[in-house]
Amino acid sequence: MHELGVTFKIIDDLKEVANENELVEIQKVVICLGEVSTVIPEYLHDCWKWARKREPLLENCELEIEPIKAITMCGDCKKTYETVKYAKICPYCKSENTWLVSGNQMMIKEIEVPEPQEQSM
Amino acid sequence: MKVIELNKTITESNDKDAALLRKELKEQQMELVNVMSSPGSGKTTLLSRMIQDMGDKRQIGVMEADIASEVDAIRIEKLGAKAIQAHTDGMCHMDAGMTARAMRALLEEKSLDLIFLENVGNLICPAEFDTGATMNMMILSVPEGDDKPLKYPLMFEKSDVLVITKMDTLEYFDFDLELCCERVKRLNPKIKIFPVSAKTGKGMTELENFML
Ligand SMILES: Nc1nc2c(ncn2[C@@H]2O[C@H](COP(=O)(O)OP(=O)(O)O)[C@@H](O)[C@H]2O)c(=O)[nH]1
Ligand SMILES: [Mg+2]
Ligand SMILES: [Zn+2]
């Protein structure tokens, strides 16, 4: 299950960020996920709900996923189209000479943490 | 509440681990070949053949990450190569950290110079994570069809070598070798393609000469 591996990677990265910034709590993490990134959002949510319980830093951390549309470019007719609908074959000219321009991203965009004074209270 | 922008790619720390391992392997002049394919495409059979043919020229090891790997490890050891167990912790791919842990003792022993990593059998996840290997090899078998490059482009993009195996079954399947190679080359112009049959041995010499 790919999503579990990705979840652990996210957790490792967040622990490192927390260390560097002396954070004790992260309330929310926003992940940008390309439509063809090989990660299924529902599965990632399920893995997250299970895995965050194991980390005091992330116990109440909400996961938000921002989807990114997958777009493919055709090298022959120079048009772009939706990857998920037509895959490798250009719907305009039937060419296979196409490549992905966007949609395989997996990125931690940002996190939300309590204000320093909230934390000390 | 405060927002901290990170914009950090999730594979970034893995990429760093992979680069470190690759550097160390190169310094030790050890070749680590990451072998990726669908389950049952013929990885173990192909590796067995290569061990038999090349075993007197190179010190070969096989790292098993495939789920059904215990059986494969026995097949490998019978041929005189060293079998190394890797632990994926139930994951669907090997990442650089897991590979480095499994390689640690070998890097110190320096007794092997050609190690094959039999990655978990699937065409999606292993392509996503760099293992730190010095060569990526994909195995596609004729029965899987010539349209695989259209369905799983990333795996073909990431590979240095493509072995098209089970060529002895070509007459039973609608597999257009020329079309398949054309599709692969379009994704990755630099890839080396070797059509072989691990059963009859046809094409193996070309592949082995390239590996030596
Ligand atoms: N006809 C034919 N069968 C093969 C060839 N290579 C492997 N096989 C068969 O394919 C099946 C799966 O092979 P195996 O090496 O265990 O695949 P793995 O799961 O990728 O390690 C076995 O029954 C092999 O005998 C080949 O070149 N030709
Ligand atoms: Mg096997
Ligand atoms: Zn077109």
Side-chain angles (χ1 to χ4, degrees):
Chain A
M1 192 161 159
H2 198 53
E3 286 74 13
L4 193 54
V6 171
T7 304
F8 287 140
K9 287 271 179 259
I10 297 172
I11 290 179
D12 285 348
D13 280 348
L14 292 183
K15 275 158 80 175
E16 208 180 296
V17 171
N19 247 337
E20 282 163 15
N21 297 283
E22 293 174 19
L23 305 171
V24 293
E25 186 188 355
I26 299 179
Q27 293 164 317
K28 185 174 171 181
V29 56
V30 183
I31 307 288
C32 293
L33 206 56
E35 271 182 323
V36 294
S37 69
T38 73
V39 170
I40 301 166
E42 297 90 89
Y43 291 176
L44 190 61
H45 273 298
D46 287 345
C47 290
W48 183 257
K49 276 185 209 140
W50 171 78
R52 69 174 179 185
K53 294 273 177 280
R54 299 158 29 124
E55 301 291 339
L57 171 75
L58 303 170
E59 242 182 317
N60 300 306
C61 182
E62 182 197 337
L63 170 71
E64 185 182 316
I65 297 177
E66 272 185 19
I68 299 175
K69 253 209 146 17
I71 301 290
T72 295
M73 167 96 192
C74 173
D76 289 346
C77 73
K78 312 285 183 228
K79 290 193 177 105
T80 59
Y81 63 88
E82 281 179 43
T83 313
V84 173
K85 257 197 192 143
Y86 306 104
K88 273 296 289 175
I89 298 170
C90 172
Y92 303 107
C93 73
K94 305 288 171 233
S95 165
E96 286 180 17
N97 177 22
T98 60
W99 60 87
L100 192 70
V101 283
S102 151
N104 60 356
Q105 298 91 330
M106 265 199 282
M107 199 181 74
I108 306 176
K109 187 185 174 196
E110 62 192 30
I111 54 173
E112 287 180 14
V113 300
E115 290 290 349
Q117 61 270 31
E118 286 176 46
Q119 230 174 48
S120 62
M121 277 184 347
Chain B
M1 208 172 47
K2 192 172 96 175
V3 173
I4 303 177
E5 258 186 62
L6 296 174
N7 293 326
K8 191 170 157 57
T9 300
I10 289 169
T11 47
E12 209 171 274
S13 55
N14 186 64
D15 290 347
K16 271 186 219 148
D17 292 347
L20 275 175
L21 176 60
R22 194 154 31 243
K23 182 165 168 278
E24 200 175 350
L25 287 165
K26 289 206 168 132
E27 280 165 7
Q28 307 279 358
Q29 298 183 350
M30 286 165 97
E31 183 98 77
L32 176 64
V33 184
N34 175 25
V35 184
M36 301 174 287
S37 81
S38 312
S41 67
K43 292 186 292 296
T44 308
T45 310
L46 185 86
L47 294 181
S48 302
R49 183 116 203 168
M50 288 168 84
I51 292 164
Q52 282 173 303
D53 295 346
M54 300 160 66
D56 54 341
K57 297 186 193 77
R58 301 290 290 267
Q59 299 305 311
I60 302 178
V62 177
M63 189 187 291
E64 292 293 351
D66 210 0
I67 324 263
S69 61
E70 219 162 300
V71 190
D72 289 345
I74 297 168
R75 276 164 79 187
I76 297 295
E77 295 230 298
K78 275 199 182 135
L79 299 169
K82 189 178 167 74
I84 304 135
Q85 195 59 54
H87 296 282
T88 55
D89 309 324
M91 231 68 92
C92 52
H93 59 267
M94 285 288 283
D95 68 16
M98 298 170 197
T99 311
R101 276 195 292 284
M103 282 300 296
R104 198 76 270 147
L106 294 175
L107 280 162
E108 269 145 40
E109 273 177 38
K110 298 184 181 119
S111 53
L112 302 176
D113 56 9
L114 178 59
I115 297 126
F116 293 98
L117 161 58
E118 186 169 346
N119 212 320
V120 182
N122 90 51
L123 293 182
I124 302 172
C125 320
E128 200 86 47
F129 285 90
D130 190 345
T131 57
T134 53
M135 187 192 291
N136 285 315
M137 176 185 281
M138 176 179 178
I139 299 177
L140 173 68
S141 63
V142 166
E144 292 172 70
D146 54 28
D147 59 348
K148 280 283 181 298
L150 301 179
K151 290 180 177 157
Y152 304 100
L154 188 63
M155 177 78 63
F156 292 87
E157 282 165 25
K158 292 277 171 80
S159 296
D160 306 298
V161 176
L162 170 65
V163 179
I164 303 180
T165 186
K166 306 195 189 178
M167 282 299 288
D168 57 291
T169 67
L170 199 59
E171 58 177 310
Y172 306 108
F173 295 94
D174 285 330
F175 188 99
D176 187 332
L177 181 63
E178 209 176 313
L179 177 63
C180 184
C181 293
E182 199 185 298
R183 286 172 169 159
V184 172
K185 288 273 180 185
R186 202 175 293 140
L187 291 170
N188 180 353
K190 281 191 283 195
I191 198 167
K192 296 253 187 316
I193 304 177
F194 297 94
V196 308
S197 165
K199 191 177 172 188
T200 67
K202 196 157 182 266
M204 290 301 297
T205 317
E206 286 82 356
L207 172 62
E208 285 158 5
N209 285 342
F210 174 79
M211 297 299 297
L212 281 172

